[in-house]
Amino acid sequence: MIGKLLTGTLLILTVPALATLTALTVGSSADHCLDSSQPSAVPTPTFTAEATVPDSGPTSPTGAPTAGCIPDLGAHAAVATVPAGTPTDVAAAVRNGLAYVGVTGGWYQRCDQLACRAYGYANSGYVSAHTHWLAMLATGHAHPGDPCPPLGSFVFFNTGRPDGHVSLVVQADPGSCDHTVIQVTANEIFDHATGNHGGVYQLSLARLEGMYLGGHGYLGWSDPVCAGALVPPGAPSANAGS
């Protein structure tokens, strides 16, 4: 059981058991790409907030420009080796999270939903990433200010706007806690430069930190606890259209 904070009221919700999922696959990039030989606009971080209703799956619009055609914009998941001994649910979540990297649409204002989707949830069960963070603080699942998020955890940010941001950790650095080594997935952040709408990207935690409040927006990390409904059997995979 965990608490969900809404308009000052603590509601008690049952958390479903974390689902063990098979890895998803991402389709090939669209044919039409931005010209990488030309200077691209500086990526502008866009605010993300969750839509709490289940969606029918991310989309890759035909002919839409993809981040894969622009250097260093996190459009392709890096090869990641899940360390031996990683819990099964965490290992599956990391692979699932990476499978969404390169998707060009379908995740506009759905950062919290995207993080929980890796663990098999249709939505997070919270109104926003900020509300999710408050619930984690209230129930002892949050680690505020801790600079060393473990693999599969959720990292939260104050973006300067009400709903905040959350991302999934897909590569940790338990030895040094180096934020240039730690990798996360995130929605929307390079959409301005790529022409995507709700695309999913992979980047370092340090780079994501630099996009919020002058590098001072990092709140900490939480255990991967969600309160939404599980994805129903037969739901579209990462490369399926809506």
Side-chain angles (χ1 to χ4, degrees):
M1 306 287 286
I2 69 168
K4 176 180 177 182
L5 300 178
L6 286 174
T7 61
T9 303
L10 180 64
L11 303 178
I12 303 301
L13 297 174
T14 300
V15 182
L18 294 178
T20 300
L21 305 176
T22 55
L24 304 175
T25 58
V26 174
S28 59
S29 299
D31 294 331
H32 297 84
C33 303
L34 299 181
D35 184 357
S36 60
S37 66
Q38 300 298 320
S40 59
V42 175
T44 300
T46 53
F47 173 61
T48 53
E50 187 201 10
T52 56
V53 295
D55 69 311
S56 57
T59 60
S60 297
T62 302
T66 67
C69 303
I70 300 179
D72 198 29
L73 287 190
H76 299 293
V79 176
T81 301
V82 178
T86 299
T88 302
D89 59 337
V90 173
V94 169
R95 295 187 184 101
N96 292 336
L98 288 171
Y100 280 89
V101 175
V103 169
T104 60
W107 294 98
Y108 177 69
Q109 294 191 340
R110 288 178 169 176
C111 64
D112 209 14
Q113 185 179 19
L114 180 63
C116 288
R117 179 60 62 87
Y119 281 94
Y121 290 86
N123 53 57
S124 75
Y126 302 96
V127 173
S128 67
H130 176 65
T131 303
H132 194 166
W133 176 245
L134 292 180
M136 297 300 95
L137 287 170
T139 55
H141 288 289
H143 302 263
D146 189 329
C148 202
L151 187 67
S153 64
F154 296 157
V155 286
F156 289 83
F157 293 87
N158 176 1
T159 64
R161 299 185 183 184
D163 287 354
H165 177 75
V166 61
S167 282
L168 172 72
V169 175
V170 293
Q171 178 175 295
D173 184 28
S176 302
C177 302
D178 186 343
H179 284 199
T180 65
V181 174
I182 297 170
Q183 295 283 306
V184 300
T185 59
N187 61 320
E188 295 187 54
I189 53 173
F190 298 132
D191 280 1
H192 180 74
T194 63
N196 294 338
H197 185 71
V200 181
Y201 311 90
Q202 180 183 345
L203 70 165
S204 71
L205 180 56
R207 190 170 188 183
L208 185 60
E209 278 185 287
M211 296 179 176
Y212 299 124
L213 302 184
H216 299 287
Y218 178 68
L219 295 173
W221 62 272
S222 83
D223 302 322
V225 175
C226 301
L230 290 172
V231 174
S237 61
N239 62 334
S242 57

